[in-house]
PDB file of all heavy atoms in Angstrom:
ATOM      1  N   TYR H 248      -7.827 150.843-183.286  1.00 97.00           N
ATOM      2  CA  TYR H 248      -6.370 150.791-183.162  1.00 97.00           C
ATOM      3  C   TYR H 248      -5.899 151.660-181.981  1.00 97.00           C
ATOM      4  O   TYR H 248      -5.013 151.263-181.216  1.00 97.00           O
ATOM      5  CB  TYR H 248      -5.735 151.268-184.457  1.00 97.00           C
ATOM      6  CG  TYR H 248      -4.239 151.136-184.519  1.00 97.00           C
ATOM      7  CD1 TYR H 248      -3.638 149.945-184.919  1.00 97.00           C
ATOM      8  CD2 TYR H 248      -3.425 152.202-184.174  1.00 97.00           C
ATOM      9  CE1 TYR H 248      -2.270 149.808-185.006  1.00 97.00           C
ATOM     10  CE2 TYR H 248      -2.044 152.098-184.226  1.00 97.00           C
ATOM     11  CZ  TYR H 248      -1.453 150.911-184.642  1.00 97.00           C
ATOM     12  OH  TYR H 248      -0.081 150.796-184.692  1.00 97.00           O
ATOM     13  N   GLU H 249      -6.546 152.825-181.837  1.00 96.00           N
ATOM     14  CA  GLU H 249      -6.158 153.742-180.777  1.00 96.00           C
ATOM     15  C   GLU H 249      -6.751 153.322-179.426  1.00 96.00           C
ATOM     16  O   GLU H 249      -6.120 153.462-178.366  1.00 96.00           O
ATOM     17  CB  GLU H 249      -6.598 155.147-181.133  1.00 96.00           C
ATOM     18  CG  GLU H 249      -5.859 155.731-182.322  1.00 96.00           C
ATOM     19  CD  GLU H 249      -6.375 157.083-182.746  1.00 96.00           C
ATOM     20  OE1 GLU H 249      -7.417 157.507-182.221  1.00 96.00           O
ATOM     21  OE2 GLU H 249      -5.733 157.739-183.618  1.00 96.00           O
ATOM     22  N   LYS H 250      -7.968 152.796-179.457  1.00 96.00           N
ATOM     23  CA  LYS H 250      -8.672 152.422-178.213  1.00 96.00           C
ATOM     24  C   LYS H 250      -8.063 151.172-177.573  1.00 96.00           C
ATOM     25  O   LYS H 250      -8.029 151.060-176.339  1.00 96.00           O
ATOM     26  CB  LYS H 250     -10.164 152.181-178.537  1.00 96.00           C
ATOM     27  CG  LYS H 250     -10.993 151.647-177.396  1.00 96.00           C
ATOM     28  CD  LYS H 250     -11.210 152.687-176.310  1.00 96.00           C
ATOM     29  CE  LYS H 250     -12.158 152.146-175.243  1.00 96.00           C
ATOM     30  NZ  LYS H 250     -12.325 153.113-174.111  1.00 96.00           N
ATOM     31  N   PHE H 251      -7.598 150.239-178.420  1.00 96.00           N
ATOM     32  CA  PHE H 251      -7.089 148.960-177.904  1.00 96.00           C
ATOM     33  C   PHE H 251      -5.650 148.751-178.382  1.00 96.00           C
ATOM     34  O   PHE H 251      -5.387 147.905-179.269  1.00 96.00           O
ATOM     35  CB  PHE H 251      -7.984 147.826-178.371  1.00 96.00           C
ATOM     36  CG  PHE H 251      -9.427 147.928-177.960  1.00 96.00           C
ATOM     37  CD1 PHE H 251     -10.376 148.395-178.847  1.00 96.00           C
ATOM     38  CD2 PHE H 251      -9.820 147.602-176.670  1.00 96.00           C
ATOM     39  CE1 PHE H 251     -11.717 148.512-178.464  1.00 96.00           C
ATOM     40  CE2 PHE H 251     -11.145 147.727-176.259  1.00 96.00           C
ATOM     41  CZ  PHE H 251     -12.102 148.176-177.171  1.00 96.00           C
ATOM     42  N   PRO H 252      -4.690 149.464-177.822  1.00 95.00           N
ATOM     43  CA  PRO H 252      -3.310 149.429-178.316  1.00 95.00           C
ATOM     44  C   PRO H 252      -2.597 148.099-178.115  1.00 95.00           C
ATOM     45  O   PRO H 252      -1.591 147.837-178.751  1.00 95.00           O
ATOM     46  CB  PRO H 252      -2.612 150.548-177.513  1.00 95.00           C
ATOM     47  CG  PRO H 252      -3.451 150.669-176.275  1.00 95.00           C
ATOM     48  CD  PRO H 252      -4.845 150.416-176.687  1.00 95.00           C
ATOM     49  N   LEU H 253      -3.118 147.236-177.246  1.00 94.00           N
ATOM     50  CA  LEU H 253      -2.450 145.974-176.954  1.00 94.00           C
ATOM     51  C   LEU H 253      -3.110 144.775-177.636  1.00 94.00           C
ATOM     52  O   LEU H 253      -2.639 143.653-177.504  1.00 94.00           O
ATOM     53  CB  LEU H 253      -2.425 145.719-175.425  1.00 94.00           C
ATOM     54  CG  LEU H 253      -1.743 146.796-174.597  1.00 94.00           C
ATOM     55  CD1 LEU H 253      -1.771 146.417-173.113  1.00 94.00           C
ATOM     56  CD2 LEU H 253      -0.271 147.000-175.059  1.00 94.00           C
ATOM     57  N   GLN H 254      -4.173 145.027-178.381  1.00 93.00           N
ATOM     58  CA  GLN H 254      -4.907 143.910-178.971  1.00 93.00           C
ATOM     59  C   GLN H 254      -4.342 143.533-180.336  1.00 93.00           C
ATOM     60  O   GLN H 254      -3.949 144.404-181.118  1.00 93.00           O
ATOM     61  CB  GLN H 254      -6.393 144.254-179.117  1.00 93.00           C
ATOM     62  CG  GLN H 254      -7.096 144.525-177.795  1.00 93.00           C
ATOM     63  CD  GLN H 254      -7.002 143.333-176.860  1.00 93.00           C
ATOM     64  OE1 GLN H 254      -7.018 142.168-177.287  1.00 93.00           O
ATOM     65  NE2 GLN H 254      -6.859 143.617-175.568  1.00 93.00           N
ATOM     66  N   PRO H 255      -4.294 142.233-180.640  1.00 92.00           N
ATOM     67  CA  PRO H 255      -3.773 141.776-181.916  1.00 92.00           C
ATOM     68  C   PRO H 255      -4.746 142.032-183.065  1.00 92.00           C
ATOM     69  O   PRO H 255      -5.927 142.333-182.855  1.00 92.00           O
ATOM     70  CB  PRO H 255      -3.570 140.264-181.717  1.00 92.00           C
ATOM     71  CG  PRO H 255      -4.599 139.919-180.672  1.00 92.00           C
ATOM     72  CD  PRO H 255      -4.688 141.101-179.760  1.00 92.00           C
ATOM     73  N   GLU H 256      -4.223 141.848-184.260  1.00 90.00           N
ATOM     74  CA  GLU H 256      -5.011 142.094-185.489  1.00 90.00           C
ATOM     75  C   GLU H 256      -6.311 141.333-185.519  1.00 90.00           C
ATOM     76  O   GLU H 256      -7.365 141.853-185.930  1.00 90.00           O
ATOM     77  CB  GLU H 256      -4.136 141.797-186.718  1.00 90.00           C
ATOM     78  CG  GLU H 256      -4.818 142.030-188.062  1.00 90.00           C
ATOM     79  CD  GLU H 256      -5.538 140.796-188.565  1.00 90.00           C
ATOM     80  OE1 GLU H 256      -5.248 139.689-188.081  1.00 90.00           O
ATOM     81  OE2 GLU H 256      -6.394 140.929-189.470  1.00 90.00           O
ATOM     82  N   GLY H 257      -6.272 140.064-185.128  1.00 83.00           N
ATOM     83  CA  GLY H 257      -7.462 139.244-185.204  1.00 83.00           C
ATOM     84  C   GLY H 257      -8.616 139.799-184.400  1.00 83.00           C
ATOM     85  O   GLY H 257      -9.770 139.843-184.850  1.00 83.00           O
ATOM     86  N   LYS H 258      -8.350 140.207-183.139  1.00 87.00           N
ATOM     87  CA  LYS H 258      -9.391 140.765-182.321  1.00 87.00           C
ATOM     88  C   LYS H 258      -9.880 142.109-182.830  1.00 87.00           C
ATOM     89  O   LYS H 258     -11.089 142.417-182.774  1.00 87.00           O
ATOM     90  CB  LYS H 258      -8.904 140.887-180.858  1.00 87.00           C
ATOM     91  CG  LYS H 258      -8.709 139.531-180.190  1.00 87.00           C
ATOM     92  CD  LYS H 258      -8.324 139.711-178.711  1.00 87.00           C
ATOM     93  CE  LYS H 258      -8.172 138.363-178.036  1.00 87.00           C
ATOM     94  NZ  LYS H 258      -7.802 138.486-176.612  1.00 87.00           N
ATOM     95  N   LEU H 259      -8.977 142.904-183.338  1.00 91.00           N
ATOM     96  CA  LEU H 259      -9.387 144.211-183.920  1.00 91.00           C
ATOM     97  C   LEU H 259     -10.279 143.976-185.107  1.00 91.00           C
ATOM     98  O   LEU H 259     -11.293 144.697-185.323  1.00 91.00           O
ATOM     99  CB  LEU H 259      -8.157 145.022-184.337  1.00 91.00           C
ATOM    100  CG  LEU H 259      -7.245 145.500-183.206  1.00 91.00           C
ATOM    101  CD1 LEU H 259      -5.986 146.160-183.783  1.00 91.00           C
ATOM    102  CD2 LEU H 259      -7.964 146.440-182.280  1.00 91.00           C
ATOM    103  N   THR H 260      -9.956 142.978-185.909  1.00 86.00           N
ATOM    104  CA  THR H 260     -10.757 142.683-187.104  1.00 86.00           C
ATOM    105  C   THR H 260     -12.159 142.227-186.719  1.00 86.00           C
ATOM    106  O   THR H 260     -13.147 142.659-187.320  1.00 86.00           O
ATOM    107  CB  THR H 260     -10.084 141.594-187.962  1.00 86.00           C
ATOM    108  OG1 THR H 260      -8.829 142.099-188.444  1.00 86.00           O
ATOM    109  CG2 THR H 260     -10.946 141.215-189.156  1.00 86.00           C
ATOM    110  N   ARG H 261     -12.253 141.382-185.702  1.00 84.00           N
ATOM    111  CA  ARG H 261     -13.579 140.903-185.258  1.00 84.00           C
ATOM    112  C   ARG H 261     -14.424 142.057-184.725  1.00 84.00           C
ATOM    113  O   ARG H 261     -15.622 142.135-185.020  1.00 84.00           O
ATOM    114  CB  ARG H 261     -13.427 139.802-184.200  1.00 84.00           C
ATOM    115  CG  ARG H 261     -13.059 138.454-184.773  1.00 84.00           C
ATOM    116  CD  ARG H 261     -13.305 137.345-183.734  1.00 84.00           C
ATOM    117  NE  ARG H 261     -12.463 137.467-182.577  1.00 84.00           N
ATOM    118  CZ  ARG H 261     -11.245 136.953-182.450  1.00 84.00           C
ATOM    119  NH1 ARG H 261     -10.735 136.287-183.475  1.00 84.00           N
ATOM    120  NH2 ARG H 261     -10.536 137.092-181.366  1.00 84.00           N
ATOM    121  N   MET H 262     -13.792 142.939-183.971  1.00 91.00           N
ATOM    122  CA  MET H 262     -14.549 144.073-183.421  1.00 91.00           C
ATOM    123  C   MET H 262     -15.010 145.030-184.536  1.00 91.00           C
ATOM    124  O   MET H 262     -16.154 145.516-184.503  1.00 91.00           O
ATOM    125  CB  MET H 262     -13.716 144.812-182.380  1.00 91.00           C
ATOM    126  CG  MET H 262     -13.545 144.038-181.077  1.00 91.00           C
ATOM    127  SD  MET H 262     -12.730 145.002-179.761  1.00 91.00           S
ATOM    128  CE  MET H 262     -11.057 145.096-180.376  1.00 91.00           C
ATOM    129  N   ARG H 263     -14.120 145.257-185.476  1.00 92.00           N
ATOM    130  CA  ARG H 263     -14.504 146.122-186.613  1.00 92.00           C
ATOM    131  C   ARG H 263     -15.663 145.502-187.376  1.00 92.00           C
ATOM    132  O   ARG H 263     -16.641 146.210-187.724  1.00 92.00           O
ATOM    133  CB  ARG H 263     -13.324 146.366-187.535  1.00 92.00           C
ATOM    134  CG  ARG H 263     -13.664 147.273-188.713  1.00 92.00           C
ATOM    135  CD  ARG H 263     -12.487 147.404-189.666  1.00 92.00           C
ATOM    136  NE  ARG H 263     -12.110 146.133-190.242  1.00 92.00           N
ATOM    137  CZ  ARG H 263     -11.044 145.959-191.034  1.00 92.00           C
ATOM    138  NH1 ARG H 263     -10.285 146.995-191.338  1.00 92.00           N
ATOM    139  NH2 ARG H 263     -10.747 144.765-191.504  1.00 92.00           N
ATOM    140  N   SER H 264     -15.584 144.213-187.681  1.00 85.00           N
ATOM    141  CA  SER H 264     -16.666 143.539-188.404  1.00 85.00           C
ATOM    142  C   SER H 264     -17.987 143.659-187.680  1.00 85.00           C
ATOM    143  O   SER H 264     -19.045 143.863-188.305  1.00 85.00           O
ATOM    144  CB  SER H 264     -16.304 142.065-188.613  1.00 85.00           C
ATOM    145  OG  SER H 264     -15.168 141.935-189.422  1.00 85.00           O
ATOM    146  N   ASN H 265     -17.947 143.551-186.357  1.00 86.00           N
ATOM    147  CA  ASN H 265     -19.176 143.675-185.574  1.00 86.00           C
ATOM    148  C   ASN H 265     -19.766 145.073-185.641  1.00 86.00           C
ATOM    149  O   ASN H 265     -20.990 145.240-185.642  1.00 86.00           O
ATOM    150  CB  ASN H 265     -18.908 143.291-184.124  1.00 86.00           C
ATOM    151  CG  ASN H 265     -20.150 143.160-183.310  1.00 86.00           C
ATOM    152  OD1 ASN H 265     -21.098 142.458-183.666  1.00 86.00           O
ATOM    153  ND2 ASN H 265     -20.193 143.830-182.159  1.00 86.00           N
ATOM    154  N   LEU H 266     -18.911 146.071-185.716  1.00 93.00           N
ATOM    155  CA  LEU H 266     -19.375 147.451-185.742  1.00 93.00           C
ATOM    156  C   LEU H 266     -19.910 147.887-187.081  1.00 93.00           C
ATOM    157  O   LEU H 266     -20.874 148.699-187.173  1.00 93.00           O
ATOM    158  CB  LEU H 266     -18.255 148.397-185.308  1.00 93.00           C
ATOM    159  CG  LEU H 266     -17.859 148.361-183.838  1.00 93.00           C
ATOM    160  CD1 LEU H 266     -16.572 149.141-183.599  1.00 93.00           C
ATOM    161  CD2 LEU H 266     -18.981 148.907-182.945  1.00 93.00           C
TER     162      LEU H 266
END
Side-chain angles (χ1 to χ4, degrees):
Y248 186 87
E249 294 175 351
K250 174 71 175 177
F251 302 101
L253 302 180
Q254 297 303 324
E256 180 269 343
K258 290 184 178 181
L259 294 174
T260 297
R261 282 196 296 272
M262 288 188 288
R263 181 183 61 184
S264 296
N265 189 52
L266 289 170

